[in-house]
Amino acid sequence: MSELTILLPDLQVAFFKRLEELRKTLLLDALLQAVSTADISQIDSELSAIVAKKSLQKLAGWGMRGELLFAVPYVLEKNPRLLGYYRLLLGFSQKQFYGLDHGFAPFKTMEEKGLMSQHSRDNLEELCKSLCGSADFLVGSIENLTERGLHELTLLTLGPQLRGGVLNVYGAQAVAIVFALIKSIVGDNIMSHDSQSIRVRNAAGRVVEIEFASDPDIRIREQLPSNRYRNLVAIEIKGGADRSNIHNRLGEAEKSHQKARKQGFVECWTIIKVSGLDESVARKESPSTDRFYDLNNLTRSKSDELADFIEHLRSILGISDSR
């Protein structure tokens, strides 16, 4: 039996740190903190006005106060971010809840920034009635629930959200690494640059722009005498290191490259962060990709892959070695 690899739980470390932050803003701890300094009689008055009596009685039988499941204006005014608590508790993703289909989009700043617009204030009671209607269905559909169960329900919804957020961070880090690499390669040919683009002048005196955006993550375009552009290279960067999800990431790259081809890009490159991937397998997932690069190898100063990347990038840009 070969020696087993030590896997680094870096994703869980990132989850834990983010979870500790969210405890203070939109998880059960944050709700309990808000209620601890609240006027309980005001909460009870609002609960009785918008929540069915039988639901409150059932909740009391479980040993819990109503605001643990039912949103009321007074509590959300004290901490607008707690809208996220009720959304998570009821099992709605951000995309589903704040999409265009259900009317909650104007309230998104409450959860994300803790801000309440005039529209939110004017419609706060209607928002709470809607949330309470969902919570009433939840209470009526289960036999028993505890405070711990409430916390677990919010975490079940939060999990995919946290994972997506952390993977986005990994993607941004990967793009930043490639940005720094390209900047070092083009060296003295740089005319100007900022956090999102690099403009270089090549050996023929033509201007080439390297832009960092999304879909594709990087696009390289040559400026023509007419001030129009010739699309040269589209680069997709996938920073996740989880091999089990590589097929999905390559599929995403393929969709982006198909769009790039329609826009006239001459070449499409894909940079991934999974070592030892069989290129024949990768090509089945993304046939539109002309060149595959492993980000791990691009960060190794003497790797053959880095040399290949440098050579092809300089060729596309039309520049010589300036380092």
Side-chain angles (χ1 to χ4, degrees):
M1 179 178 176
S2 60
E3 184 178 349
L4 296 179
T5 302
I6 297 177
L7 302 176
L8 298 180
D10 52 347
L11 197 61
Q12 289 299 84
V13 172
F15 283 168
F16 178 80
K17 291 179 180 179
R18 182 60 178 145
L19 193 59
E20 289 299 291
E21 296 172 1
L22 293 177
R23 289 184 193 278
K24 304 172 185 177
T25 55
L26 56 87
L27 294 181
L28 182 60
D29 291 356
L31 175 65
L32 295 176
Q33 176 59 36
V35 172
S36 69
T37 60
D39 182 347
I40 298 301
S41 63
Q42 178 66 26
I43 295 177
D44 288 339
S45 175
E46 293 184 356
L47 284 170
S48 64
I50 61 177
V51 181
K53 184 177 180 180
K54 63 178 182 179
S55 293
L56 291 175
Q57 289 175 331
K58 189 172 184 179
L59 203 58
W62 295 339
M64 291 189 288
R65 285 189 49 80
E67 67 273 8
L68 293 180
L69 269 87
F70 296 98
V72 292
Y74 176 63
V75 171
L76 291 183
E77 285 176 339
K78 284 184 68 65
N79 183 357
R81 290 184 185 275
L82 288 173
L83 174 57
Y85 165 81
Y86 293 106
R87 173 186 65 78
L88 292 169
L89 174 62
L90 296 170
F92 302 121
S93 68
Q94 285 185 317
K95 183 176 181 181
Q96 178 186 12
F97 191 76
Y98 296 117
L100 301 178
D101 295 335
H102 307 294
F104 297 110
F107 300 99
K108 191 173 183 179
T109 55
M110 291 176 61
E111 174 179 341
E112 291 195 336
K113 299 180 180 180
L115 301 176
M116 191 176 296
S117 66
Q118 190 58 49
H119 172 277
S120 297
R121 292 185 185 281
D122 293 342
N123 294 277
L124 190 57
E125 185 173 346
E126 289 305 311
L127 170 64
C128 289
K129 286 181 179 179
S130 177
L131 293 171
C132 287
S134 299
D136 187 69
F137 179 85
L138 176 63
V139 171
S141 302
I142 56 181
E143 295 302 319
N144 191 25
L145 191 61
T146 63
E147 214 171 274
R148 178 179 176 179
L150 289 179
H151 184 57
E152 290 171 344
L153 285 176
T154 60
L155 293 183
L156 283 172
T157 312
L158 181 62
Q161 180 179 320
L162 282 180
R163 185 177 184 85
V166 171
L167 292 179
N168 285 339
V169 171
Y170 286 167
Q173 291 173 340
V175 171
I177 291 171
V178 176
F179 180 95
L181 173 62
I182 291 177
K183 187 178 176 182
S184 71
I185 293 171
V186 298
D188 295 338
N189 298 277
I190 294 177
M191 298 170 55
S192 63
H193 67 88
D194 56 30
S195 62
Q196 297 297 318
S197 66
I198 300 172
R199 287 169 59 89
V200 303
R201 189 177 299 279
N202 64 19
R206 296 189 298 270
V207 175
V208 182
E209 290 191 355
I210 306 165
E211 299 174 298
F212 300 79
S214 60
D215 200 21
D217 295 310
I218 298 176
R219 59 181 183 177
I220 301 176
R221 306 187 302 164
E222 179 185 4
Q223 188 173 11
L224 301 174
S226 63
N227 287 326
R228 288 183 294 180
Y229 288 91
R230 175 171 168 253
N231 294 331
L232 299 177
V233 183
I235 304 177
E236 274 295 304
I237 304 169
K238 300 302 176 184
D242 182 4
R243 180 179 289 272
S244 65
N245 196 38
I246 187 59
H247 298 291
N248 289 335
R249 294 198 293 276
L250 287 172
E252 292 168 357
E254 175 63 16
K255 290 179 182 178
S256 178
H257 285 331
Q258 287 178 1
K259 293 179 184 178
R261 293 292 189 189
K262 291 179 181 179
Q263 294 169 7
F265 279 91
V266 179
E267 291 197 29
C268 295
W269 300 354
T270 299
I271 299 175
I272 57 177
K273 197 181 180 183
V274 175
S275 298
L277 179 67
D278 187 336
E279 188 169 319
S280 63
V281 174
R283 290 199 176 281
K284 290 180 181 179
E285 299 289 347
S286 181
S288 297
T289 296
D290 295 292
R291 310 195 69 80
F292 288 94
Y293 292 102
D294 178 357
L295 184 59
N296 298 300
N297 290 332
L298 294 184
T299 59
R300 297 188 178 110
S301 60
K302 296 183 179 180
S303 73
D304 292 339
E305 215 164 321
L306 174 60
D308 183 88
F309 182 82
I310 293 173
E311 183 177 42
H312 281 84
L313 180 64
R314 287 182 181 147
S315 175
I316 286 289
L317 296 175
I319 62 174
S320 59
D321 188 351
S322 60
R323 296 191 298 171

